[in-house]
Amino acid sequence: MSITLGYLIIGLMCFVVLYYSVQLWREQRNALSLLILIPLVFLWIDNISIAGGRYIGEGPLLNGITYILYFWHCQMLPLLMIVAGMLLRRGGFAFAQNKFVMGAFCVVAVYFMYLDVPYILDVEFYPACYGDTFRLALSVSSDQVCAPGDSPIKGISVAPIPAISVSLAIMITGILLWIRHGFYWLALTSIFMFIAAGLQQAPGFYYGPLLGNFGEPIFNAGLIAAGYRFGNVETA
């Protein structure tokens, strides 16, 4: 299958997930539904820009799109740490009813945003080719250089602590909700995302980057399902 077609399909999936996230927010109009929605706003553009990168071409437009997407990802993804705390509260877990515990989720989210600020200020993007796609990336591996003889580019090394921590927090939350309420969608989708993200980094696995992006709409669909299930539950 064409890699470009793969990203187009994933982009469409992300747009569908965004639509249902907007619907969730319109129905509930609460903080939980808003925090689920915000990180999703540009996710579909991320995949569409990869699919269309070779048509846009290297230049200020693609560089600007890439920077906005990178900024949004770094600063909005930590909001899901707060979502984890909110879902635990609405799930009836006693420890999560404590306002200091909920405050801790918020502090961690803000700290993760702060951690990424130096990378946002100093980031530089380099041309990368994957299959029949062209994009700008933080680093370029030897199998994604765009021309024979080009050297891999290491670029800046971004600490994965925020992304991994958020993924684990949502996965643990999903497992707890499964155990207590029989609601398994968040657990299954977050586990799928965690595995897909790991395979994305697996050396020599050609479809790794595509699979990693495929996991994102699946993961967010689980969050939206949890929003519908627990979003209107009253908390103390």
Side-chain angles (χ1 to χ4, degrees):
M1 182 181 72
S2 162
I3 299 299
T4 293
L5 178 59
Y7 279 110
L8 283 173
I9 293 172
I10 296 171
L12 178 60
M13 292 172 62
C14 290
F15 189 81
V16 172
V17 170
L18 174 62
Y19 169 80
Y20 281 104
S21 184
V22 171
Q23 292 300 108
L24 172 67
W25 178 78
R26 291 182 65 184
E27 290 179 19
Q28 298 187 358
R29 301 279 180 162
N30 56 25
L32 176 63
S33 60
L34 182 61
L35 292 180
I36 292 174
L37 167 62
I38 290 174
L40 269 171
V41 170
F42 291 133
L43 190 59
W44 67 281
I45 299 178
D46 183 21
N47 290 279
I48 296 299
S49 68
I50 295 175
R54 59 178 174 166
Y55 302 106
I56 300 172
E58 186 177 1
L61 177 57
L62 187 58
N63 194 75
I65 293 172
T66 304
Y67 183 84
I68 291 171
L69 295 173
Y70 178 73
F71 169 84
W72 196 262
H73 174 78
C74 289
Q75 293 300 289
M76 300 302 117
L77 180 65
L79 294 177
L80 297 184
M81 184 65 71
I82 303 175
V83 169
M86 287 181 166
L87 288 172
L88 290 170
R89 293 193 80 187
R90 286 163 170 76
F93 294 93
F95 72 92
Q97 308 308 315
N98 188 306
K99 293 183 179 179
F100 289 103
V101 172
M102 193 64 231
F105 278 98
C106 296
V107 169
V108 170
V110 172
Y111 176 65
F112 284 162
M113 292 177 184
Y114 167 77
L115 279 182
D116 281 328
V117 169
Y119 303 115
I120 293 171
L121 296 177
D122 296 332
V123 69
E124 186 173 355
F125 302 108
Y126 306 95
C129 297
Y130 168 46
D132 54 352
T133 66
F134 175 84
R135 64 190 174 94
L136 297 178
L138 295 174
S139 60
V140 183
S141 60
S142 58
D143 58 347
Q144 293 192 18
V145 296
C146 290
D150 286 355
S151 300
I153 301 174
K154 185 174 179 55
I156 63 171
S157 179
V158 179
I161 295 173
I164 293 175
S165 300
V166 167
S167 296
L168 287 174
I170 294 295
M171 182 164 49
I172 292 170
T173 298
I175 292 171
L176 291 175
L177 292 174
W178 189 355
I179 293 171
R180 171 164 290 193
H181 298 282
F183 178 82
Y184 50 80
W185 290 110
L186 184 59
L188 294 181
T189 55
S190 57
I191 290 171
F192 179 86
M193 179 66 217
F194 195 78
I195 294 172
L199 291 174
Q200 184 176 20
Q201 306 300 324
F205 182 39
Y206 179 72
Y207 290 104
L210 194 65
L211 181 61
N213 279 42
F214 178 72
E216 293 177 339
I218 304 298
F219 171 75
N220 282 282
L223 282 170
I224 294 168
Y228 274 109
R229 173 63 176 80
F230 298 100
N232 286 321
V233 176
E234 294 185 4
T235 58

